[in-house]
PDB file of all heavy atoms in Angstrom:
ATOM      1  N   PRO E  36     -13.916  24.347  -5.970  1.00 93.00           N
ATOM      2  CA  PRO E  36     -13.618  23.209  -5.095  1.00 93.00           C
ATOM      3  C   PRO E  36     -13.597  21.893  -5.881  1.00 93.00           C
ATOM      4  O   PRO E  36     -14.426  21.675  -6.769  1.00 93.00           O
ATOM      5  CB  PRO E  36     -14.773  23.217  -4.085  1.00 93.00           C
ATOM      6  CG  PRO E  36     -15.291  24.606  -4.113  1.00 93.00           C
ATOM      7  CD  PRO E  36     -15.096  25.096  -5.521  1.00 93.00           C
ATOM      8  N   TRP E  37     -12.644  21.051  -5.569  1.00 93.00           N
ATOM      9  CA  TRP E  37     -12.510  19.730  -6.192  1.00 93.00           C
ATOM     10  C   TRP E  37     -12.209  18.738  -5.081  1.00 93.00           C
ATOM     11  O   TRP E  37     -11.354  18.982  -4.235  1.00 93.00           O
ATOM     12  CB  TRP E  37     -11.384  19.746  -7.226  1.00 93.00           C
ATOM     13  CG  TRP E  37     -11.214  18.456  -7.968  1.00 93.00           C
ATOM     14  CD1 TRP E  37     -11.882  18.076  -9.099  1.00 93.00           C
ATOM     15  CD2 TRP E  37     -10.322  17.378  -7.652  1.00 93.00           C
ATOM     16  NE1 TRP E  37     -11.464  16.826  -9.502  1.00 93.00           N
ATOM     17  CE2 TRP E  37     -10.508  16.380  -8.622  1.00 93.00           C
ATOM     18  CE3 TRP E  37      -9.402  17.157  -6.637  1.00 93.00           C
ATOM     19  CZ2 TRP E  37      -9.794  15.179  -8.611  1.00 93.00           C
ATOM     20  CZ3 TRP E  37      -8.692  15.964  -6.621  1.00 93.00           C
ATOM     21  CH2 TRP E  37      -8.887  14.991  -7.598  1.00 93.00           C
ATOM     22  N   ARG E  38     -12.920  17.629  -5.066  1.00 94.00           N
ATOM     23  CA  ARG E  38     -12.741  16.614  -4.029  1.00 94.00           C
ATOM     24  C   ARG E  38     -12.488  15.248  -4.645  1.00 94.00           C
ATOM     25  O   ARG E  38     -13.064  14.896  -5.680  1.00 94.00           O
ATOM     26  CB  ARG E  38     -13.975  16.526  -3.120  1.00 94.00           C
ATOM     27  CG  ARG E  38     -14.246  17.799  -2.354  1.00 94.00           C
ATOM     28  CD  ARG E  38     -13.164  18.052  -1.307  1.00 94.00           C
ATOM     29  NE  ARG E  38     -13.266  19.381  -0.754  1.00 94.00           N
ATOM     30  CZ  ARG E  38     -12.366  20.353  -0.916  1.00 94.00           C
ATOM     31  NH1 ARG E  38     -11.290  20.149  -1.629  1.00 94.00           N
ATOM     32  NH2 ARG E  38     -12.534  21.526  -0.371  1.00 94.00           N
ATOM     33  N   ILE E  39     -11.642  14.483  -4.008  1.00 93.00           N
ATOM     34  CA  ILE E  39     -11.302  13.127  -4.447  1.00 93.00           C
ATOM     35  C   ILE E  39     -12.457  12.181  -4.107  1.00 93.00           C
ATOM     36  O   ILE E  39     -12.950  12.168  -2.984  1.00 93.00           O
ATOM     37  CB  ILE E  39     -10.007  12.646  -3.770  1.00 93.00           C
ATOM     38  CG1 ILE E  39      -8.836  13.516  -4.215  1.00 93.00           C
ATOM     39  CG2 ILE E  39      -9.747  11.175  -4.071  1.00 93.00           C
ATOM     40  CD1 ILE E  39      -7.562  13.310  -3.412  1.00 93.00           C
ATOM     41  N   THR E  40     -12.863  11.389  -5.110  1.00 93.00           N
ATOM     42  CA  THR E  40     -13.924  10.396  -4.893  1.00 93.00           C
ATOM     43  C   THR E  40     -13.403   8.966  -5.028  1.00 93.00           C
ATOM     44  O   THR E  40     -14.111   8.026  -4.713  1.00 93.00           O
ATOM     45  CB  THR E  40     -15.085  10.611  -5.883  1.00 93.00           C
ATOM     46  OG1 THR E  40     -14.586  10.518  -7.224  1.00 93.00           O
ATOM     47  CG2 THR E  40     -15.739  11.972  -5.663  1.00 93.00           C
ATOM     48  N   GLY E  41     -12.176   8.824  -5.533  1.00 91.00           N
ATOM     49  CA  GLY E  41     -11.582   7.498  -5.673  1.00 91.00           C
ATOM     50  C   GLY E  41     -10.116   7.596  -6.024  1.00 91.00           C
ATOM     51  O   GLY E  41      -9.667   8.596  -6.582  1.00 91.00           O
ATOM     52  N   ILE E  42      -9.359   6.559  -5.683  1.00 90.00           N
ATOM     53  CA  ILE E  42      -7.921   6.525  -5.959  1.00 90.00           C
ATOM     54  C   ILE E  42      -7.577   5.182  -6.585  1.00 90.00           C
ATOM     55  O   ILE E  42      -7.940   4.134  -6.057  1.00 90.00           O
ATOM     56  CB  ILE E  42      -7.095   6.720  -4.670  1.00 90.00           C
ATOM     57  CG1 ILE E  42      -7.435   8.053  -4.005  1.00 90.00           C
ATOM     58  CG2 ILE E  42      -5.604   6.613  -4.960  1.00 90.00           C
ATOM     59  CD1 ILE E  42      -6.813   8.252  -2.635  1.00 90.00           C
ATOM     60  N   MET E  43      -6.889   5.225  -7.731  1.00 86.00           N
ATOM     61  CA  MET E  43      -6.437   4.014  -8.404  1.00 86.00           C
ATOM     62  C   MET E  43      -4.912   4.060  -8.483  1.00 86.00           C
ATOM     63  O   MET E  43      -4.352   4.856  -9.234  1.00 86.00           O
ATOM     64  CB  MET E  43      -7.023   3.935  -9.811  1.00 86.00           C
ATOM     65  CG  MET E  43      -8.531   3.808  -9.819  1.00 86.00           C
ATOM     66  SD  MET E  43      -9.233   3.735 -11.481  1.00 86.00           S
ATOM     67  CE  MET E  43      -9.004   5.416 -12.016  1.00 86.00           C
ATOM     68  N   PRO E  44      -4.217   3.229  -7.693  1.00 83.00           N
ATOM     69  CA  PRO E  44      -2.752   3.217  -7.740  1.00 83.00           C
ATOM     70  C   PRO E  44      -2.259   2.894  -9.147  1.00 83.00           C
ATOM     71  O   PRO E  44      -2.867   2.091  -9.863  1.00 83.00           O
ATOM     72  CB  PRO E  44      -2.364   2.119  -6.761  1.00 83.00           C
ATOM     73  CG  PRO E  44      -3.553   1.941  -5.883  1.00 83.00           C
ATOM     74  CD  PRO E  44      -4.745   2.275  -6.744  1.00 83.00           C
ATOM     75  N   HIS E  45      -1.182   3.544  -9.548  1.00 78.00           N
ATOM     76  CA  HIS E  45      -0.576   3.298 -10.857  1.00 78.00           C
ATOM     77  C   HIS E  45       0.367   2.114 -10.727  1.00 78.00           C
ATOM     78  O   HIS E  45       1.222   2.091  -9.846  1.00 78.00           O
ATOM     79  CB  HIS E  45       0.188   4.541 -11.317  1.00 78.00           C
ATOM     80  CG  HIS E  45       0.809   4.390 -12.662  1.00 78.00           C
ATOM     81  ND1 HIS E  45       0.059   4.321 -13.816  1.00 78.00           N
ATOM     82  CD2 HIS E  45       2.093   4.293 -13.044  1.00 78.00           C
ATOM     83  CE1 HIS E  45       0.872   4.193 -14.842  1.00 78.00           C
ATOM     84  NE2 HIS E  45       2.098   4.165 -14.400  1.00 78.00           N
ATOM     85  N   GLN E  46       0.214   1.144 -11.589  1.00 71.00           N
ATOM     86  CA  GLN E  46       1.024  -0.068 -11.534  1.00 71.00           C
ATOM     87  C   GLN E  46       2.083  -0.048 -12.622  1.00 71.00           C
ATOM     88  O   GLN E  46       1.788  -0.268 -13.783  1.00 71.00           O
ATOM     89  CB  GLN E  46       0.128  -1.307 -11.698  1.00 71.00           C
ATOM     90  CG  GLN E  46      -0.994  -1.412 -10.705  1.00 71.00           C
ATOM     91  CD  GLN E  46      -0.507  -1.549  -9.286  1.00 71.00           C
ATOM     92  OE1 GLN E  46       0.470  -2.233  -9.017  1.00 71.00           O
ATOM     93  NE2 GLN E  46      -1.182  -0.896  -8.360  1.00 71.00           N
ATOM     94  N   GLY E  47       3.316   0.262 -12.276  1.00 65.00           N
ATOM     95  CA  GLY E  47       4.429   0.191 -13.210  1.00 65.00           C
ATOM     96  C   GLY E  47       4.510   1.372 -14.148  1.00 65.00           C
ATOM     97  O   GLY E  47       3.563   2.123 -14.337  1.00 65.00           O
ATOM     98  N   GLY E  48       5.690   1.563 -14.724  1.00 60.00           N
ATOM     99  CA  GLY E  48       5.902   2.604 -15.707  1.00 60.00           C
ATOM    100  C   GLY E  48       6.343   3.932 -15.129  1.00 60.00           C
ATOM    101  O   GLY E  48       6.758   4.816 -15.853  1.00 60.00           O
ATOM    102  N   ALA E  49       6.287   4.094 -13.828  1.00 60.00           N
ATOM    103  CA  ALA E  49       6.731   5.334 -13.194  1.00 60.00           C
ATOM    104  C   ALA E  49       7.731   4.968 -12.103  1.00 60.00           C
ATOM    105  O   ALA E  49       7.542   4.009 -11.375  1.00 60.00           O
ATOM    106  CB  ALA E  49       5.553   6.101 -12.594  1.00 60.00           C
TER     107      ALA E  49
END
Side-chain angles (χ1 to χ4, degrees):
W37 183 86
R38 297 292 169 246
I39 296 169
T40 58
I42 301 172
M43 296 179 288
H45 182 69
Q46 304 297 321

